[in-house]
Amino acid sequence: MESVPLNEIVDHLRKALADRYTIEREIGSGGMATVYLAEDLKHHRKVAIKVLRADLAATLGPERFLREIEIAAQLHHPHILPLYDSGEADGFLYYVMPYVEGLSLRDKLAKEGELPIGDAVRIVRDVVDALTEAHAHGVVHRDIKPENILLRGRHALVTDFGVAKAVSEATGREQVTTAGVALGTPAYMAPEQAAADPHLDHRVDIYAVGAVAYELLTGRPVFMGTTPQMILSAHVTEAPQPVTKHRDTVPPVLEQLVLRCLEKKPADRFQSAEELLPQLETLTTPSGGMTPTETQPVRAATSGLRRRGWVRMALLAVAVGVVIAGAVAFGRWVRPGATGSRHPRTAIAVLPFDNIGGDPESEYFSAGITEDILAHLSKSTDIKVVRATQYAGNAVSMRGVGQELGVTTVLSGSVRQSGDDVRVVAQLVDTDTDETIWAETYDRKLESIFVIQTEIASNITEAMGTVLVTDAAGVEGPTADLEAYRLFLRARFLRSQRSLESVTQAVDLFEQAIARDSSFAEAWAGLAETWVLVPVYAYATFDEALPRVLEAADGALALDPDLAAARTARGLALIMMAYDFDEGVREARRAVELDPGYAKAHHWLGIALAFQSNLEEALPYLERAAELEPLSLIIHGDLARFAFFAGREEQAIAEFDKTIALDPRFAVAHIRSAEIYRLMGRHDVEAKRLERWNALLEVPAYRPGSIEAAFLAGGPEAMYRVLLQPSEWRTSEHAYHRAAWLVALGEHDAAIDVLTEEVAGRGQAAVMLTVSTSLAPLRGDPRFEALVEEVYGP
C-alpha cells in the first residue's frame, strides 16, 4: 500500500469506513498514525479517527492490537480523551476519539515557548491525574509527550492511552523498528525504554512527565541531539542540566520535583502517579506557589464525633473551613525553624478553590467550599477577610494579590471529587515573600470527613495559641439530606452568576432543596436572597417578589433567628418593595451585628440608608462591603453611584472605572456611569457608555449603533429621543433611567408619569426619589412631592 498515491489511500479509506464515518479531511500526522476529521454517522458528532501507518498495520495482527485498545477504552476520567471505537477495515487499523477543537500542548509550546509557572504546574497536574487512573487499571501510556496532550479551556486531556502498548504487545517491539516506527518518542523516553528493556512498568510515564515539565518550564527538551540515537543515549548516560540554569525563577521545590521524575533508575523516581499527584496539587495555586520543604502540616486525628450519614459534602466544607480558620486564627503565625519568632497577620484573601476534576458540573462543589470557608473566617473580628472570587481560573502573583487587595496572606487551594472520595489541598502564602507558610492535603471519604473536624481544628488552633471555635463538638450540618445540600450548593453557585437564566434556575433549585428538607434554614435564606434579585434580572415586579421574599426569609428565621442572610434579604425587601424603611433598616443593622464579616449585610444596609438619603451614614457601610469583597462588581457599582450623589465626584469615577476594569461586560456599570457623565456634562462619554450598555444586554433594547449615531448627529437631545423610543427590554432599572432622560429633556410631566407608574408598581425607581441627583429638578412639583410622601410617609 506504500506505493499508492496519498489521495488514493484517502479514497480507499473513505470507502472502507463509509458505512460508519464520513472522512472530511486530514488534521494531523505522526510517527505511527495519520489523523482525520470525520462525521460519526450513527451519533451525528465530529470525531477524530487515527489510522495506523500502512507499513505498521501490515505487520500487525489486528486481534492483539484491538484487544489492547479495548483495555484502554475502559478508562473514564476527566483528563483522559476517551476512545469511542476501534477496528479493522480493508487493511486499515484505526481507533476513534472525540474531536477536540483547540491546541495541543505542542502547539502552545511552539507559539509561546516556556509557559507561566502556574500554567505549567496545572497542566502537568492534570496529566498526572490522568495517569493515576490509567495506572490503577494497569494501563501504561509509554508515549507521554506534548503532542499527546490536548488543551481544552484551562485543563489538559491526555490522548492515545494504550496505543504504544498495543503496538509493542502486538509486534514484540519496544524500540525503533526496521520500518522506522518509534514506539515512544526519543525526547521523552525513560532510560530503560531507550535501552529496550523488556520489563517496562508505569514508571516510564513518570519519567516522561518530568521531561514534559522540564520543557514547559524551560522552553527546551531535557536533551537535544542531531539524531534520535544521540538523544536516546543522553537519556541513558547524561544528567539533565538544572531547570534553574535556563530559568532562575523556577522555585527550588518545583525543580527538585522535576529532577526526581527524571532520575535514571526507576527506583529513584516517584514510585507512582498517585504519589506524585499530591505533590503537584500542593504546588497548584493561582500563582503556582510552592510549599517549602520545611513546612510541617498538622496531623489529622482519627477519633471523635460519631459518624452521621448526612454529612458528606456539607460537612466537608465546614471541616475545611474550620481547618483553615484555625490556621489563620487571630492573624499570628509561628514560622517553622524560627523559634519564638511571630509575625502579625491581620488580613487574608480567600481565592476560589480550584476544581481539579475539570468537570464543569462540579464547579459548584469547589465554589461551595470556598463560600463556607469565607463564612467561617468572616466570623472572626480580629482578622480582615477578603473575598477574591474574581481571580477564579486566573494565574496570578500572590504578591500582586496582596498589593491589589491590601492583604498580608492569601488562602488558596483545590478540590478534587471522584465518587465518594474527596481530596482538598489548602495552603496559605505570605504576600510579601510569596512563601508558603502552611499547607496540607486532606484525603477523605465524604461520609467520614466530619468525624475528625474537631480534632483537626483543635490541633491547628492550639498550634496558633488560640481557639477560634469554642464548642466544635456541638456543630451540626445545615441539613440531614445530602441531595438537598447538593441542590443548595448548585443554586448558590448559579445565583452568583446574576443572569436571567441563572437567577431563574437558582430559585427552582432552592425550592427543590426545601421540598426535600423543609427544616433547611440556609436554603430558605438562599431563596429569600434570590427573590430579592428576581425583579432586577428576571422580569418580575417588586409587588410579585415581595411576598416570596418575606415567606422565604420568615421560614428561615423561624428555624434560625440569628441567620444574617435571612435578615439581610428581609430588610432590603421591606425597604425596596414595601417602603417600610424603619423596619427594613433595623433588620439590616441586625444582620451586620450577627455577622460583621458578611459583605452583603454591609452592602444592603448601605443602600437601604442611601435610599433614605442618609448618604454620609450609608457610604462607610458600602466602603466596608467593598473592603470585604473588593472584586464585587455590584458593590463597587453601588458605591460609585451613591458617592456621586453625595458629591464625591472623583471617588465615583474611580469606583466606576474599577468596576468596568474588573469586568467590561457588566452592563449595569455602563448605564449607571453614563448617568454621572450626563450630570457632569460629559455627553460624549455618556454616549459611549450607553452604547456599550445596550450592546451587552441579553436582548438589546435599541438597534446597535443607534445611540451613539444619534448623539453624533444631533447631540444629547437626539440621543435621549432614541433612548425613549419603545423597546422590548423593560426593567425597573430601565424605568428609572427613562425618567431621568425625560428630566434631562425638560419633559417633567412625562417623567412624573413614569415615576407614578413605578411607585404604584413598587418599582426600583420609587426608592430613588429623594437621593437621585437626576431627579432633583422635579423637587417642589406638588405631584412629585406627593409621590415622595407616598413612599416615605409624611
Side-chain angles (χ1 to χ4, degrees):
M1 190 178 293
E2 285 182 289
S3 62
V4 180
L6 180 60
N7 59 338
E8 293 186 22
I9 293 176
V10 176
D11 288 342
H12 188 182
L13 177 64
R14 284 197 175 102
K15 291 176 183 177
L17 298 178
D19 61 329
R20 299 190 61 181
Y21 302 101
T22 299
I23 303 293
E24 296 184 3
R25 57 185 172 86
E26 180 181 325
I27 56 175
S29 62
M32 289 199 300
T34 302
V35 189
Y36 299 92
L37 175 63
E39 177 77 17
D40 182 343
L41 299 177
K42 180 178 180 180
H43 299 101
H44 306 290
R45 60 188 176 187
K46 297 292 183 184
V47 295
I49 300 181
K50 286 201 170 186
V51 181
L52 292 193
R53 279 178 42 173
D55 53 356
L56 178 59
T59 64
L60 291 181
E63 295 81 9
R64 187 68 176 270
F65 176 78
L66 296 177
R67 184 161 64 251
E68 295 296 336
I69 290 293
E70 183 179 349
I71 293 172
Q74 303 305 310
L75 300 177
H76 299 285
H77 189 273
H79 298 306
I80 295 177
L81 192 69
L83 285 168
Y84 281 162
D85 189 16
S86 61
E88 184 273 338
D90 202 11
F92 293 103
L93 286 177
Y94 68 91
Y95 52 102
V96 183
M97 303 170 296
Y99 172 62
V100 177
E101 293 191 54
L103 298 175
S104 71
L105 184 54
R106 172 59 66 205
D107 296 329
K108 188 174 181 67
L109 280 168
K111 182 180 179 181
E112 301 179 18
E114 61 189 26
L115 302 187
I117 292 173
D119 291 351
V121 174
R122 188 180 67 249
I123 289 169
V124 173
R125 178 204 64 199
D126 287 353
V127 171
V128 174
D129 201 3
L131 290 173
T132 301
E133 174 74 8
H135 294 172
H137 287 79
V139 178
V140 182
H141 193 290
R142 303 189 185 200
D143 198 19
I144 293 291
K145 59 184 177 181
E147 289 83 350
N148 285 336
I149 300 169
L150 304 181
L151 302 176
R152 182 167 61 189
R154 297 181 63 247
H155 294 287
L157 295 171
V158 183
T159 184
D160 283 5
F161 264 101
V163 176
K165 173 71 158 40
V167 173
S168 65
E169 291 289 339
T171 63
R173 294 172 298 181
E174 190 61 55
Q175 188 41 308
V176 179
T177 70
T178 55
V181 179
L183 306 183
T185 302
Y188 309 95
M189 289 174 70
E192 65 270 28
Q193 192 174 6
D197 187 331
H199 305 296
L200 301 181
D201 63 20
H202 58 277
R203 290 174 293 184
V204 300
D205 287 346
I206 301 297
Y207 187 93
V209 164
V212 169
Y214 191 102
E215 187 170 355
L216 297 185
L217 293 169
T218 67
R220 52 180 287 154
V222 183
F223 299 112
M224 294 185 288
T226 56
T227 67
Q229 287 74 19
M230 290 177 62
I231 298 172
L232 293 172
S233 176
H235 280 290
V236 175
T237 62
E238 296 180 19
Q241 293 180 339
V243 177
T244 49
K245 178 177 180 179
H246 306 291
R247 188 175 182 183
D248 60 10
T249 56
V250 174
V253 66
L254 178 56
E255 179 180 49
Q256 293 166 13
L257 181 148
V258 172
L259 293 179
R260 184 176 171 189
C261 290
L262 291 171
E263 288 287 351
K264 302 298 183 189
K265 294 181 178 181
D268 291 335
R269 299 172 203 152
F270 290 100
Q271 293 301 289
S272 68
E274 190 172 12
E275 179 189 359
L276 175 56
L277 183 60
Q279 307 297 321
L280 288 163
E281 289 182 344
T282 300
L283 300 181
T284 307
T285 69
S287 68
M290 306 303 152
T291 304
T293 54
E294 71 270 21
T295 297
Q296 300 173 5
V298 178
R299 293 193 311 274
T302 56
S303 62
L305 298 179
R306 61 188 179 90
R307 297 170 182 257
R308 295 184 60 180
W310 66 267
V311 293
R312 301 169 97 76
M313 289 164 51
L315 302 179
L316 169 65
V318 174
V320 176
V322 170
V323 169
I324 296 160
V328 297
F330 292 84
R332 289 191 175 271
W333 292 91
V334 180
R335 290 183 182 276
T339 305
S341 174
R342 290 182 178 271
H343 298 261
R345 310 263 169 210
T346 58
I348 179 171
V350 180
L351 272 60
F353 274 36
D354 195 11
N355 173 33
I356 294 294
D359 180 5
E361 286 297 304
S362 297
E363 288 289 344
Y364 75 93
F365 181 57
S366 54
I369 286 181
T370 306
E371 286 294 321
D372 286 328
I373 290 170
L374 279 160
H376 197 86
L377 292 176
S378 69
K379 296 183 186 302
S380 171
T381 57
D382 296 303
I383 55 175
K384 171 187 173 184
V385 182
V386 174
R387 178 189 301 267
T389 52
Q390 290 298 111
Y391 288 113
N394 297 324
V396 294
S397 158
M398 295 295 102
R399 193 187 302 267
V401 172
Q403 292 173 347
E404 183 172 354
L405 303 184
V407 297
T408 53
T409 310
V410 174
L411 169 66
S412 63
S414 62
V415 180
R416 182 166 65 92
Q417 181 186 6
S418 178
D420 285 341
D421 296 316
V422 172
R423 169 174 288 158
V424 178
V425 178
Q427 66 176 352
L428 290 135
V429 178
D430 185 315
T431 58
D432 291 332
T433 64
D434 270 341
E435 177 183 324
T436 299
I437 305 163
W438 169 87
E440 180 63 290
T441 298
Y442 303 93
D443 285 300
R444 301 289 186 268
K445 291 290 184 183
L446 284 173
E447 67 270 13
S448 65
I449 184 65
F450 201 55
V451 175
I452 62 171
Q453 68 90 11
T454 302
E455 286 81 0
I456 294 175
S458 175
N459 288 339
I460 294 180
T461 53
E462 182 180 351
M464 297 303 108
T466 185
V467 177
L468 184 64
V469 181
T470 56
D471 186 17
V475 174
E476 291 196 353
T479 176
D481 188 312
L482 173 61
E483 183 57 28
Y485 193 74
R486 290 180 189 272
L487 292 165
F488 169 79
L489 286 182
R490 192 180 293 274
R492 192 170 63 179
F493 178 68
L494 286 168
R495 184 186 64 203
S496 70
Q497 298 175 11
R498 293 202 174 202
S499 69
L500 168 63
E501 182 180 8
S502 67
V503 169
T504 303
Q505 289 177 341
V507 167
D508 180 58
L509 290 170
F510 278 125
E511 289 176 342
Q512 289 182 46
I514 292 167
R516 292 188 63 92
D517 181 3
S518 60
S519 65
F520 191 174
E522 284 85 349
W524 283 104
L527 180 61
E529 288 186 308
T530 308
W531 266 108
V532 169
L533 300 176
V534 168
V536 180
Y537 296 96
Y539 303 103
T541 67
F542 282 173
D543 251 355
E544 293 167 337
L546 176 61
R548 306 299 299 271
V549 177
L550 296 180
E551 178 187 12
D554 290 345
L557 293 171
L559 295 163
D560 184 354
D562 293 333
L563 202 54
R567 293 206 175 272
T568 301
R570 193 174 191 277
L572 193 64
L574 288 170
I575 292 167
M576 291 186 66
M577 303 176 188
Y579 305 152
D580 189 343
F581 291 91
D582 292 340
E583 181 62 22
V585 168
R586 274 195 294 271
E587 289 280 27
R589 289 190 192 279
R590 178 62 178 145
V592 170
E593 292 170 2
L594 289 168
D595 192 349
Y598 186 39
K600 192 175 293 182
H602 290 274
H603 176 205
W604 286 5
L605 175 56
I607 61 176
L609 292 167
F611 289 150
Q612 292 181 293
S613 298
N614 295 332
L615 290 170
E616 291 307 315
E617 185 182 1
L619 289 176
Y621 286 105
L622 292 171
E623 289 166 346
R624 176 59 177 154
E627 288 179 1
L628 292 168
E629 291 195 25
L631 302 177
S632 168
L633 303 175
I634 193 63
I635 290 176
H636 281 296
D638 281 338
L639 174 56
R641 164 185 266 184
F642 293 119
F644 183 81
F645 291 158
R648 302 182 186 180
E649 185 177 292
E650 290 185 3
Q651 181 183 5
I653 292 173
E655 291 295 338
F656 271 130
D657 287 348
K658 183 183 298 182
T659 307
I660 293 170
L662 285 171
D663 187 352
R665 301 165 298 174
F666 187 50
V668 169
H670 289 278
I671 191 170
R672 290 186 180 178
S673 62
E675 176 183 23
I676 73 167
Y677 282 108
R678 178 181 70 250
L679 294 168
M680 292 166 57
R682 294 285 307 280
H683 299 294
D684 54 336
V685 182
E686 177 193 11
K688 292 182 182 298
R689 294 288 171 91
L690 288 169
E691 189 64 65
R692 183 63 179 150
W693 158 74
N694 183 56
L696 289 167
L697 298 177
E698 293 182 27
V699 181
Y702 309 99
R703 180 172 52 81
S706 61
I707 299 172
E708 206 165 5
F711 170 72
L712 293 173
E717 181 175 343
M719 177 173 66
Y720 302 144
R721 296 295 178 194
V722 169
L723 290 165
L724 290 166
Q725 291 174 359
S727 72
E728 296 180 2
W729 192 79
R730 285 288 184 273
T731 66
S732 190
E733 172 93 22
H734 193 196
Y736 164 75
H737 289 288
R738 287 177 65 81
W741 296 327
L742 286 164
V743 171
L745 288 170
E747 298 183 10
H748 292 188
D749 291 346
I752 290 174
D753 288 343
V754 171
L755 294 173
T756 300
E757 186 176 341
E758 279 288 283
V759 170
R762 300 185 185 276
Q764 181 180 346
V767 291
M768 297 290 288
L769 295 179
T770 63
V771 69
S772 170
T773 307
S774 291
L775 303 180
L778 300 177
R779 290 168 194 157
D781 187 303
R783 294 167 300 169
F784 181 81
E785 296 303 331
L787 293 176
V788 171
E789 184 172 332
E790 185 174 344
V791 173
Y792 291 93

